[in-house]
Amino acid sequence: MKPETPRPIRLKDYRPPAYLVDKVDLDVSLDPTCTRVRSRLSVRPNPAASGRSGPLRLNGEHLELAEIAVNRKPLAKKDYKVTDVELTIARPPAKPFTLEIVTFVNPEGNTALQGIYRSNGVYCSQCEAEGFRRITYFPDRPDVLATYKVRIEADPEEAPVLLSNGNPVERGTIKGGKRHYAVWHDPHPKPSYLFALVGGDLASIASTFRTMSGRKVDLAIYVEHGKEDRAAWAMDSLKRAMRWDEERFGREYDLDVFNIVAVSDFNMGAMENKGLNIFNDRLVLASPETATDTIFEHIESVVAHEYFHNWTGNRITCRDWFQLCLKEGLTVFRDQEFTGDERSKTVQRIIDVRKLKTHQFAEDAGPLSHPVRPESYIEINNFYTATVYEKGAEVVRMIEKLLGAETFRKGMDLYFARHDGEAATVEQFIQCFEDASGIDLTQFRLWYSQSGTPELVCGLKYDKAKKTAELEVEQVLPPTPGQPNKKPFHIPFKIGLLGANGHDIDLQLEDGEEVTDGLLSLTKRRQTFRFTDVPSRPVPSLLRDFSAPVNVTIDLDDPDYELLMAADSDLFNRWQAAATYATRTLVEIVRILGSGKSTARGQRYAKALRAAVSSDGLDPAYRAELLRLPTQADVARIIGKNVDPALIHRAHKQLSRLVGRTLGDVLEDFYKSLADKGTFSPDSESAGRRALRNSALTLLTARGGKRDLALLSKHYSGATCMTDRAHALYLLAGIGGKEGDRALQHFYDQWKGDHVVIDTWFAAQAQSPRASTLKRVEDLTRHPLFSLTAPNKVRALIGSFAAGNPVQFNRPDGKGYAFVASQVLALDAINPQIAARMLGTFRSWRALESGRRAQARKALQRIAKTKTLSPDVKEIVSKMLEA
Ligand SMILES: [Zn+2]
């Protein structure tokens, strides 16, 4: 057992490790319930550690210790001490020595899915962040870097495929063919969290890649037998990512092989283990019949993300887990840039910003708010958050904005040159950009330590006589847990001023300072920019390209938004204007619902949207984004307090219907003219066409007419790809009735044998806003295809209900909260990491109206009072309830 109240770990307490491990030799003999791990470590005192080295402390959990020897001499019982979390050798040799340890682990009984476990009969491992300590005793921290040689032994029938990090060295059979083995060697020093091992009966597809210096790399993707044809897209994505990293960042791959393995039970999306990436199979397997365009896109971006980690994360790793954003924020930035280059830059930016606002802005507005680099944690698994990942990426993007692309690249080159092979910190990363550019980023560093979403409160004054326009900007920095007062940030603020005809006015500052590319630099709490030679009252286009992760408020009139939607040269901001206009319309409808009053704003917005979406020269994918109304969660976030999700749901329905009716002919035209002709292709242009068609269908269906429902049913039954089929299924499940049930039954019959695709069936039912949904979801937790031990099933059913169904999760009777709380408690005994994730869906509970708030509090208190909570859940629930 861990202590009752786990102690927080703090950044300021960081000390270099007392001992270093230079070489790790592992010999793993796989067995379902009794896997033997023999480890031989080359250990030496760390010269960088202050004073005498003292005792050697090794982390270890859920291990059965069988043998321990120093320099081949077994240790006596009195020479070491074992607890549930640690093994301590009081007086190790003062000179370099060899430590040998034999432990036993139980892969079959490992439902936490950290360390070595079995998924569908396949042995696999997950070590980030602290899983290696569930394999053997080790200084399990990212600043201990070693080379690994790994021998894996198994029953050849059970596990013909044996993989580990690095390059293959040797393989053979022993014991008259009853066992076989493989030896792998990874010459690149790495921290233990990047260790990986796989053993199983898997099929594979293979290919090769020629690197920029002409080296040949063997590539393979391992999947379940019979699913080889679904791995082609992942392979294609991998090769494009490898090429892109060479061209854009000059990064070349450094081993002879690169392997990807798809497993069905996985806590995360995927893991970047050196040379052996392990993936959740829903992020590898795709065919037109089984995967939506969104999944194709996710596969492309996650395969790229994990591959990019080879340099940002593996070659240069993190000194400690507080620096997690150093590898994650940076690598998300890199994968977003990759997808932008492969697809449409503007559409990618819209998708990324939408995701950031939905997840990170919501996180930052609630009790779980924390800085991009947190200063303390109890369970590091709780910090794989939108703030560390998505906001972390925005912080890197801001550096690029402030420095310019060319100088940014110089800074990256310097980072790779200076820190290759090291465990680095955020300070060292920023220092490279200061050294490359000569720009002082002292104030900019606040982005790593101050939490919360800054708000830029702006005002624009126009002086007709002097032809000047004055833009005032104030940084309002809301208090967040533990941070009541904040210093102003250094913010790249990209703007434009539109003249009456919609064209950009040249930006000239009164003091003669040049404005390059519309970029202003904010550094003070209040700043005023006075522009000269402005011929008429301009309409400001603020935060173009979303140049910083902030909220902007400015008092604009409806006609201003209409001009921006129609004419802004910055396509991102054209979309942003449409989204802001839609949001303010929805907020107004929410406010007057039930009051008997009415508003004409919905009608005005719909007309403006009609004009915007019909403009010439726009990609279908971009038009599809214009047609996507803000989500109910987005509206709730903007309202901010006393939120009534039922009212928001009604308002959303009302506006969708209005838009569907006002744009009917345009939408019908999109729907008819963009149907797929010929064979399916996952490329971004074809996907964009399908996205626009499905966006149109959503709004046409919202009209609620008989003809619309018939069209929707036909869309389902006539679908030739999963994109169309799944889209229709979600809509039909939301409508319910005979058509809904028929589609769900049909989908089930077709896909019940496929554990990946069937998740769509669970999710579609969980997201239905109908009143009967909770009952149905409860029943589905007892369905034979559902299992609490399978994270994908939990996410599809319980996650979709809690995070994707605002109206039913937030039922006024509190039963939605009670249900999710019970599931969290049941899960906590099986897989604490996933339990804590599910609990995170309560993050906005304080913003609810008082009745629901009381119900949510009750559910959270029930969890908090439970005696046997894991540290994961305990940490989250305490933060949620802290005043
Ligand atoms: Zn990552």
Side-chain angles (χ1 to χ4, degrees), residues 272 305-306 309 327-328 331 389:
E272 70 261 25
H305 176 98
E306 305 308 332
H309 267 314
K327 78 176 178 79
E328 292 306 341
T331 306
Y389 279 65

Side-chain angles (χ1 to χ4, degrees), residues 7-47:
R7 263 185 317 134
I9 295 169
R10 293 180 206 284
L11 171 58
K12 66 175 167 50
D13 295 337
Y14 172 84
R15 299 287 176 276
Y19 291 86
L20 297 174
V21 179
D22 295 319
K23 251 174 69 187
V24 176
D25 263 290
L26 285 181
D27 185 346
V28 182
S29 180
L30 292 171
D31 178 273
T33 56
C34 191
T35 286
R36 192 212 63 213
V37 180
R38 182 181 292 278
S39 119
R40 193 188 312 129
L41 311 177
S42 306
V43 187
R44 66 183 158 98
N46 183 4

Side-chain angles (χ1 to χ4, degrees), residues 234 268-270 279-285 295 298-300 302-303 756:
M268 321 277 270
F279 270 63
N280 191 321
D281 59 4
R282 58 179 292 274
L283 290 171
V284 170
L285 303 174
I295 291 287
H298 282 174
I299 290 172
E300 180 182 89
V302 179
V303 165
V756 176

Side-chain angles (χ1 to χ4, degrees), residues 173 178 237 309 321 335 359 441 446 499 513 563 566 701 743 866:
T173 49
K178 284 206 182 92
S237 303
H309 267 314
W321 289 119
D335 85 51
H359 299 288
L441 294 171
L446 289 171
E513 208 182 309
L563 181 74
T701 307
T866 307

